[in-house]
Amino acid sequence: MDVPGISFLDAPVAAAADPNRMDIAMFVGFLPLRAGDEGLRARNVVAARLARQGWAARANDTLTDVPVRVTSIEEVEQLFDTGGRMDRHAIVRSRPLPDSVELPEGGLLFVVNLDGSDQRVELTAGSFTRVQLRDLLNAALGGIAVTIDPVLNGTAALVFRRLGATPGSLTVYTHTALGFPVAATAASQAVGAPMGVALRSFFTSGGREAVIVRMGDPVPLFARERGRVNALATLVGGEYGAGAASLADLLGTVLPQLPAEFPTRDPWHGLAHLHGLQDIALVLLPDLPDLVATVPALVPETETSPRPRETFAPCAPEPPATINGAIRQARPASVNAGGLELWSRIVVWAAEQVERITPEAMVVTALPLVDEDAEVLTAHEALGVVTSGNGGQGMAHRQLQIAAPWIASNEARDMPAGASPADGLLAGHIAASTLASGAWRTVAGRTLAPSQRPYAAPTMLGFDTSPQLSVIGYGVRGPTILSDRTTDPGSFNQANIRRLTGLILRAARHRGETAVFEANGNRFWRDVAMSITTLMRQLHSAGALRGLTEPEAFDVQCGPQTMSQADIDAGRAIAEVTFAPSHSLEFIEISLLAASGSIEQRRAGA
């Protein structure tokens, strides 16, 4: 019946996601927030949704250490600023001052400009200690921290530092009594955030859905070592990094164990959010190569305007004041042997923790950049870490995939040299291939976008020389993913076979979750066997399994032959599944002998 002024519309029923979906990636790391009211409103909407999902205690407008689900890079940019990382902190130092500073009657106005706005401080005449001046200025200035440099021969400088994690400028105007005979300016510029670039690469390469666990703001590009140590401690969690002042100190620090099975939400931190995200197939820590860097990023020397001659030597050299638009000519941060060893330990730790939580997900990471020009480390030594790293215990793990080398691309346009690690790109191709063809399809042979190419690839890096890496190089059609491998040297070396196994495990888990309260007997065992057999038949029909007949391709057993009486009495049901995965050829080389017209297959590898 139609009622005037009232319309009844049938709301469309939302399509349920495939419970066996294997393309969703979890990114854990550091991202700047999107500035402005629109970014704040977008984050408040997400925070309200998270509060309804049980995250009321943590959900706020910073979206820190909570799982944020996104389906496009546009959605990411509404919440976060992927290119909003600072290149440095804006810091201005005075000339050295004695402990007692005289402020004359005629110089009592002190002016500081922060991001284009002047802040004026009315001082009083008289004698002040440096500590008194510091405290007075800290109380009067907003958005600026004033500290004192270490004392040298009885003198020390006042240090003005712009607070906040967004780029901006700081100018201290002339004030001779406070150590500024001329105005001094410092500024921080915006560059790409490693996790932001990884997210760009993921969605550009075909990824459709991701979960972001933001751990805070990224450290500046030219951050000192202590800042990187603190960020690693935040990323890992627990007591990791307590008391450490350098990356070398972390090599002797024990990595913590994440909460075990079925913990409450209170201790979930970083990677531990995987406990509540049962559809995740790929896990990434995009900041790692940057945080373990022991050779800082450098910008080429540029001509600057003349400056007054300095009459003192600073305690530590500062990087150039600005990058002068030369970020694409900059050299990315790289590692020495110690940094590479630290990276290997954290990566293996991450794979082990993910395995403790779920056997269904893979850790996808990238080999840090090695700067051979600086003779810090050779490519051979870098590749050797994959087999001998982690304190000599090796990095072999069936749930770990390492991409190499780095990639120069449009997605990394605001990174030094326009290059970034390849983990986001590899994860995006895996997600796209999974959605289009199935989790069991290899991504080896997939070509990159025209704007993407390997960056600073060691000449010895190849799919045949690096069997435990997922290598990106040049194929017949241009830049190509040459191999799709885990670091496991055994049966799970081909990553697509490991992903197929994860798919089967996920399907079996979902079947088990629906049968928690069913009687553990013959009927239940038969239902479990039939449910898994149906999945295996679908995989066999799709080409995921080899063998002309089902008995050749797989076998599913569930019953007295797979469990003891003790298992049955304890309420455990055990199903055993054996299967023969199809092996994908990663490469095949064919020679055409024009003289005879014959074709010869020279090499093929799986």
Side-chain angles (χ1 to χ4, degrees):
M1 179 178 66
D2 293 334
V3 179
I6 301 178
S7 299
F8 294 92
L9 300 175
D10 292 330
V13 178
D18 182 355
N20 295 326
R21 187 172 173 179
M22 293 291 293
D23 67 294
I24 302 175
M26 181 173 80
F27 291 76
V28 182
F30 302 91
L31 266 181
L33 298 174
R34 172 64 59 189
D37 292 339
E38 290 187 7
L40 181 60
R41 282 195 295 269
R43 290 193 298 275
N44 282 332
V45 170
V46 175
R49 183 175 69 235
L50 288 169
R52 292 192 297 270
Q53 296 171 354
W55 290 105
R58 293 195 201 177
N60 54 50
D61 58 22
T62 68
L63 299 181
T64 301
D65 209 4
V66 290
V68 178
R69 198 170 289 265
V70 292
T71 56
S72 68
I73 191 60
E74 291 77 19
E75 194 174 346
V76 174
E77 293 287 5
Q78 287 177 353
L79 304 168
F80 310 106
D81 187 354
T82 62
R85 179 192 192 190
M86 293 192 299
D87 65 329
R88 73 197 73 240
H89 291 290
I91 298 175
V92 173
R93 287 179 171 83
S94 73
R95 295 179 62 182
L97 299 173
D99 185 50
S100 180
V101 178
E102 292 292 332
L103 297 182
E105 290 285 350
L108 302 181
L109 179 63
F110 182 70
V111 184
V112 175
N113 185 283
L114 178 67
D115 299 336
S117 298
D118 284 347
Q119 297 187 32
R120 300 170 179 269
V121 181
E122 296 287 346
L123 303 172
T124 58
S127 179
F128 296 84
T129 66
R130 289 188 300 256
V131 172
Q132 288 174 329
L133 285 173
R134 178 200 65 190
D135 295 343
L136 186 155
L137 293 171
N138 272 324
L141 297 172
I144 300 170
V146 184
T147 58
I148 300 174
D149 252 357
V151 176
L152 180 65
N153 297 327
T155 64
L158 293 176
V159 180
F160 296 77
R161 172 173 171 159
R162 179 184 177 278
L163 298 176
T166 57
S169 63
L170 173 65
T171 299
V172 178
Y173 290 107
T174 302
H175 197 291
T176 305
L178 292 184
F180 291 96
V182 296
T185 298
S188 57
Q189 298 187 29
V191 296
M195 189 155 96
V197 175
L199 283 161
R200 293 176 194 165
S201 300
F202 174 77
F203 285 109
T204 299
S205 300
R208 297 285 185 84
E209 186 169 334
V211 175
I212 298 172
V213 180
R214 176 184 181 268
M215 303 308 297
D217 294 310
V219 297
L221 174 64
F222 300 111
R224 298 190 180 187
E225 191 171 1
R226 184 58 182 266
R228 299 178 189 273
V229 170
N230 293 339
L232 282 170
T234 300
L235 188 66
V236 172
E239 297 299 319
Y240 185 69
S246 67
L247 294 172
D249 292 340
L250 292 179
L251 281 172
T253 304
V254 177
L255 287 151
Q257 292 287 308
L258 295 183
E261 294 182 355
F262 311 118
T264 62
R265 289 187 175 191
D266 294 340
W268 290 6
H269 174 94
L271 276 180
H273 281 280
L274 196 56
H275 278 293
L277 300 168
Q278 298 189 1
D279 56 354
I280 297 299
L282 307 168
V283 178
L284 291 83
L285 299 167
D287 294 276
L288 267 184
D290 178 76
L291 294 179
V292 300
T294 42
V295 181
L298 294 178
V299 175
E301 298 256 344
T302 56
E303 294 185 5
T304 57
S305 57
R307 298 177 61 185
R309 182 176 62 88
E310 293 182 342
T311 58
F312 70 98
C315 297
E318 284 293 318
T322 68
I323 58 176
N324 296 311
I327 191 66
R328 278 191 171 272
Q329 285 72 49
R331 188 186 71 190
S334 54
V335 295
N336 61 18
L340 201 59
E341 175 66 22
L342 178 61
W343 168 82
S344 70
R345 293 190 182 193
I346 296 176
V347 165
V348 172
W349 166 83
E352 290 173 346
Q353 300 310 304
V354 168
E355 184 181 35
R356 290 178 67 230
I357 297 173
T358 174
E360 303 162 15
M362 295 274 292
V363 173
V364 179
T365 187
L367 195 68
L369 188 67
V370 176
D371 185 4
E372 292 191 88
D373 292 338
E375 297 182 352
V376 174
L377 197 67
T378 67
H380 179 75
E381 291 170 328
L383 298 179
V385 167
V386 178
T387 54
S388 64
N390 188 32
Q393 300 176 27
M395 297 185 69
H397 200 287
R398 60 190 177 186
Q399 290 177 239
L400 174 60
Q401 194 163 1
I402 302 174
W406 283 28
I407 298 296
S409 66
N410 286 342
E411 290 73 44
R413 58 192 174 275
D414 47 7
M415 296 285 281
S420 66
D423 48 354
L425 178 143
L426 178 62
H429 277 282
I430 292 172
S433 176
T434 297
L435 286 170
S437 307
W440 55 90
R441 301 293 185 189
T442 182
V443 296
R446 288 177 66 97
T447 56
L448 308 188
S451 62
Q452 299 169 334
R453 58 179 175 79
Y455 171 78
T459 55
M460 64 172 292
L461 186 64
F463 53 78
D464 49 351
T465 59
S466 311
Q468 290 173 281
L469 294 177
S470 295
V471 177
I472 299 171
Y474 288 95
V476 175
R477 294 174 292 174
T480 303
I481 299 175
L482 299 177
S483 60
D484 180 18
R485 296 175 177 174
T486 72
T487 60
D488 177 50
S491 302
F492 291 109
N493 183 237
Q494 286 199 51
N496 57 303
I497 293 177
R498 184 63 190 82
R499 293 193 293 270
L500 171 62
T501 304
L503 170 62
I504 295 172
L505 289 169
R506 179 162 293 180
R509 172 172 61 81
H510 287 149
R511 177 63 185 93
E513 288 172 348
T514 63
V516 173
F517 299 108
E518 293 187 29
N520 193 14
N522 289 325
R523 180 176 178 178
F524 171 62
W525 301 334
R526 184 175 63 253
D527 289 347
V528 169
M530 283 301 299
S531 177
I532 298 177
T533 297
T534 299
L535 170 68
M536 302 306 291
R537 283 175 177 162
Q538 293 171 344
L539 293 174
H540 184 225
S541 299
L545 307 177
R546 70 174 184 268
L548 295 177
T549 65
E550 290 184 3
E552 292 176 345
F554 66 89
D555 180 61
V556 179
Q557 299 287 333
C558 183
Q561 70 274 29
T562 64
M563 63 194 88
S564 66
Q565 187 59 47
D567 291 324
I568 297 172
D569 293 341
R572 287 189 293 268
I574 300 174
E576 292 182 354
V577 182
T578 57
F579 60 95
S582 295
H583 286 273
S584 302
L585 290 177
E586 287 184 342
F587 64 89
I588 182 167
E589 185 175 317
I590 296 175
S591 295
L592 172 62
L593 304 180
S596 62
S598 63
I599 296 178
E600 172 191 1
Q601 177 181 309
R602 294 180 56 190
R603 292 191 304 158

